[in-house]
Every structure is written in structure tokens, then in C-alpha cells.
Amino acid sequence: MTNPAQQPALLRLPSDQEASGRTLGFEEITKLTEAIDSGCLTSTKGNFVKSFETGFAKAVGAKHGYACASGTAAIHCAIAAINPEPGDEIVTTSITDMGALTPIIYQGAIPVFADVDPNTYNVTARTIEAALSERTKAIIVTHLFGNPCEMAEIMALANARNIPVIEDCAQSFLTSYDDAYVGTFGAIGCFSLQQGKHITTGEGGVCVTNDDALARRIFLFINKAWGYGDANPDHYFLALNYRMSELQGAVAFAQLPKLQGVVDSRIRGANELTRRISGLKGIETPAMSSRAIHTYWKYCLRVDGRVIPGGAVALAKMLKERGIMSAPRYIQKPAFACEVFREQRTFGNSRFPFNLARPEAVNYDRNKFPGTYEALEGVLVLPWNERYTQQHIDYIADALETAVAKLTEAPAAATV
Ligand SMILES: *Cc1c(COP(=O)(O)O)cnc(C)c1O
């Protein structure tokens, strides 16, 4: 058995769920105090949300930016701006956050799942193409974990068919592909400011676009479709109140100048871990395109279960003993295997909008998604944030080396 004396002391890693792994402080408090002193906490009158929107759009290189209540709300705004007819199809990915999917249903459209590349966990032009139909109204691509999709091929496909692309950038702040930031390739880019994202307001979201007409619809959808500033304003169409408050706006505005530093630090740490663990048996470091800059929302390993007995699950168990809380499988099952899709539980017993769906669009047969199952089987998601120092990276690298050595050593030697 392991002699505790041989084990170096446990090191507590910074966590994005608390101050240790977040870049929040004096600047946020100062802006919050200003917001409260002003007495105006709504973005319809205050200036923090507006300033954040302008600054954020500029930071990612987009013409318009609109803040809203969450990343889920941002996706909902984007879909509402594109305005599908009931039963229209929106192609999306089988590995993503539920907040990127339920808004499709709320707008009466059918999510049609594309498979993913098992090495990057992202949809590709090829997997999207296989999911297109006459009824495809939009494509949502998720740049998962901070690693961009192959946007050149995806945009070529979408442009040839004249289908708008929504980019889910919730995990990919300042992620670039060629010389532009993600969020600016498609018609609309959506971001989340939830607790665990690159920058945060606890809850919050942003949409960016270069298209004036879509920008107008996003703005209206956030504001109950009330035409603020118009000569004869009215509630023009069905919409919600998805506004961000000035309290969140103040924090967002203070977070913005920190974003580049946060991203740089995450990349620096990730590159260092990659350098340390490259060549470890049965483990692959993040795969990315030569055209991409990955900004590491998380750091994912691909674990080869044929080399490492027990695969990602066994490795996670050993890391946990060292206080490293990794997540094998990321989401436990493909999104389409969740009850909301499988049982079509939506509005009353209507099953709307699934009652309008083509059978093939809601056929979630396992054989259609080989990349998805392979991706979830092999992935091990390491927690990541900008506060990791060399000491933390060394600690993780050492823990991985030790775990891989133990798991792969010959059975005879394992019974010492
Ligand atoms: C976090 C996340 C969302 C949803 O954002 P919320 O702010 O939690 O509503 C959507 N898509 C992806 C890929 C996410 O990671």
C-alpha cells in the first residue's frame, strides 16, 4: 500500500467558484459603489451596461454588443433575432450546455444534433452538413472549452447555403481563428458571464453582431420588444425582459479590462502543462487547428482506455486523491439523451415543437453519433483558471505522471 510519507503534501488549487480562482476585487467594488451611489440600477437609464456593451463589442471586433441576463438568454436572443417559423430546424451540437439548447425549443424550432470530431469535441463542416435539411433555418456552433471550430470550412458551407451561423462563445472569450476573434465569423456571437466563465458577473450574457437589423432585433428582444427612443414606441413582437442590471453592468465593466490578462494567463499555464505532459503514455494534450488560438476555459485530456486501464474514470479517481477534481465525460451523456429531448417534455402535453418535427430530425440513434460517444468516453476535463501558478501546474503535471505510471504498470508489479 501507499505509504503516506512518500506522498508530497496536498496543494489546494485555485477554484473559479471562489475568490482564489477569480479576478475580482477593488475595481469591481469601486464601480459597484458608483452604481449604487447613482441610485439607478436599471440599464434602461444607467450607463454601466451601455459602456460594457460598447467596450465588449470593441474588444472582440464586432459592431454591436448587447448585454443580457445569461448565456442562455444570449442564445435565446440570437435565435429570436433570426426568427424561425415553428418547426424550422436549427442544427447544433450534441456536446454543449443545456442553456444553448432549450432556447431553440422556446422559439418553436427543432434542435437537430450534429456529431462532433472526437479529437476536438467540436462540430465540423462535415458533421453539420450531414444534419442539414430543407428546413434548416440556422446553425449554432459551440467553440467548446475555448478551442475554436474550423470556421473557414463551416462558413464556406453555411454561406453556400445561405444559412446564418450563431457562434456560442460562452467558453471562448478572445479565442481566435486566423486573425479574428470567434463571435465575429457568423451572424451573431453569444457569450456567458456565468460564475465559471473567463470573466463573470455571477450570471450574465452578451450578444455581438455586425448586422444592424439583427442588432435591432436583439436589442428589442432583451427589452420586451419595446421601441425605446422611437417616435411612437410599442411592444412590436413577442419578447421577454432579458436585461442585465446596472449592478452586473458595473462588475462587467470592471472585468473587461482584465479579460486579456485572464486569457493570456490561462494560455501560458496551459502551454506549460502541455510541455510537461506531452509524451505521457495514453494521454493526448488538447488538439487544435494551426489556425487557432485556444483560450482554455478548461484543459482537456484525451485518455486512451486501451493504454490506461480504466481510462478517464480511473485517472480522475487518482487525481481526486491528490485534490484535483477533474470531470471524466464532461457532460455525462450526449445532450440529446436528456429527458427533455428523449421524452419531448415541453409545453403541457403538446410536445410542441417536436410534434412538428421530421422523424429523422429527432432520431437520436447512437450510430449517428460515433464521434460524440468516442469524445465523451475519452475526455477528462481538468479545472482551469487564470490564477494557476507554475507551482500549481507542476503539481498537476506530477500528479498526472504518477497516476499514469501507477495505472499502466504491469499487474505483477502493482501488487507490491
Ligand atoms: C455556460 C454556457 C452556456 C449558458 O450560459 P449561462 O450563462 O449559464 O446561461 C451556453 N453555452 C455554453 C457552451 C456554455 O458553456
Side-chain angles (χ1 to χ4, degrees):
M1 281 311 297
T2 313
N3 174 359
Q6 293 172 346
Q7 294 260 20
L10 287 183
L11 181 67
R12 208 182 148 83
L13 294 173
S15 162
D16 64 15
Q17 300 303 299
E18 50 165 55
S20 64
R22 301 282 56 190
T23 310
L24 295 164
F26 175 73
E27 300 79 4
E28 285 74 12
I29 291 169
T30 307
K31 297 294 179 210
L32 263 175
T33 305
E34 250 180 77
I36 289 173
D37 284 347
S38 78
C40 173
L41 304 187
T42 171
S43 64
T44 58
K45 301 278 175 4
N47 282 318
F48 281 115
V49 170
K50 290 188 188 78
S51 304
F52 169 69
E53 290 172 334
T54 309
F56 189 81
K58 188 157 175 260
V60 301
K63 186 171 174 193
H64 306 279
Y66 289 107
C68 57
S70 66
T72 306
I75 296 281
H76 197 174
C77 291
I79 294 165
I82 283 168
N83 203 19
E85 295 297 326
D88 278 353
E89 296 175 3
I90 298 187
V91 171
T92 181
T93 172
S94 52
I95 304 184
T96 188
D97 187 278
M98 192 51 66
L101 299 172
T102 45
I104 300 173
I105 306 171
Y106 271 102
Q107 279 312 110
I110 314 287
V112 179
F113 293 95
D115 198 16
V116 303
D117 177 335
N119 296 307
T120 62
Y121 323 106
N122 281 334
V123 291
T124 66
R126 194 180 51 77
T127 65
I128 290 167
E129 190 165 20
L132 295 178
S133 84
E134 288 296 301
R135 296 174 73 176
T136 308
K137 181 74 173 185
I139 297 164
I140 304 180
V141 300
T142 300
H143 306 292
L144 208 66
F145 300 124
N147 192 18
C149 299
E150 280 289 1
M151 290 311 287
E153 293 165 20
I154 291 172
M155 291 314 300
L157 171 72
N159 289 337
R161 312 269 184 123
N162 217 3
I163 302 171
V165 173
I166 296 168
E167 292 177 79
D168 183 346
C169 309
Q171 305 182 359
S172 51
F173 284 78
L174 301 188
T175 295
S176 49
Y177 181 86
D178 290 342
D179 51 6
Y181 290 124
V182 298
T184 61
F185 289 86
I188 304 171
C190 302
F191 295 80
S192 164
L193 299 169
Q194 218 275 332
Q195 175 73 37
K197 306 298 162 88
H198 286 74
I199 52 173
T200 186
T201 56
E203 309 292 345
V206 201
C207 289
V208 297
T209 182
N210 291 323
D211 183 302
D212 295 344
L214 290 175
R216 169 77 176 159
R217 282 192 61 91
I218 291 167
F219 166 79
L220 287 170
F221 197 71
I222 292 169
N223 287 286
K224 304 175 222 174
W226 177 254
Y228 284 97
D230 291 0
N232 295 299
D234 197 350
H235 294 285
Y236 301 128
F237 54 81
L238 179 65
L240 297 155
N241 176 354
Y242 267 160
R243 286 192 287 262
M244 173 182 272
S245 82
E246 285 290 283
L247 295 172
Q248 292 159 299
V251 174
F253 186 61
Q255 285 271 277
L256 194 52
K258 302 179 178 184
L259 177 58
Q260 186 68 58
V262 163
V263 165
D264 291 345
S265 175
R266 283 168 177 256
I267 294 174
R268 212 180 312 120
N271 288 345
E272 184 57 19
L273 184 61
T274 298
R275 193 185 67 74
R276 281 286 316 269
I277 64 174
S278 292
L280 260 189
K281 271 194 291 196
I283 282 191
E284 275 173 47
T285 55
M288 69 197 90
S289 158
S290 58
R291 304 169 79 162
I293 294 185
H294 188 322
T295 60
Y296 297 97
W297 178 58
K298 306 282 178 194
Y299 186 108
C300 293
L301 299 169
R302 280 202 69 62
V303 184
D304 186 344
R306 292 162 306 186
V307 177
I308 299 180
V313 172
L315 193 54
K317 202 157 158 253
M318 295 205 64
L319 292 179
K320 191 173 170 202
E321 287 171 18
R322 304 297 296 140
I324 302 168
M325 309 307 272
S326 63
R329 302 192 68 85
Y330 176 45
I331 51 173
Q332 293 307 304
K333 53 193 176 191
F336 53 73
C338 294
E339 285 185 32
V340 53
F341 301 111
R342 235 182 41 225
E343 308 293 333
Q344 305 187 335
R345 289 210 192 96
T346 55
F347 303 95
N349 291 314
S350 70
R351 300 191 299 111
F352 178 85
F354 293 111
N355 58 329
L356 308 175
R358 283 183 308 127
E360 187 52 24
V362 291
N363 172 5
Y364 307 137
D365 188 293
R366 198 185 168 100
N367 296 321
K368 286 172 70 179
F369 303 98
T372 300
Y373 285 96
E374 189 185 335
L376 294 179
E377 182 65 32
V379 71
L380 182 65
V381 184
L382 295 179
W384 208 250
N385 62 68
E386 64 276 12
R387 304 286 292 276
Y388 281 16
T389 63
Q390 187 67 45
Q391 187 193 15
H392 301 120
I393 307 287
D394 286 339
Y395 181 79
I396 296 168
D398 291 343
L400 277 167
E401 277 167 13
T402 308
V404 169
K406 279 195 182 151
L407 289 168
T408 56
E409 71 194 2
T415 55
V416 173

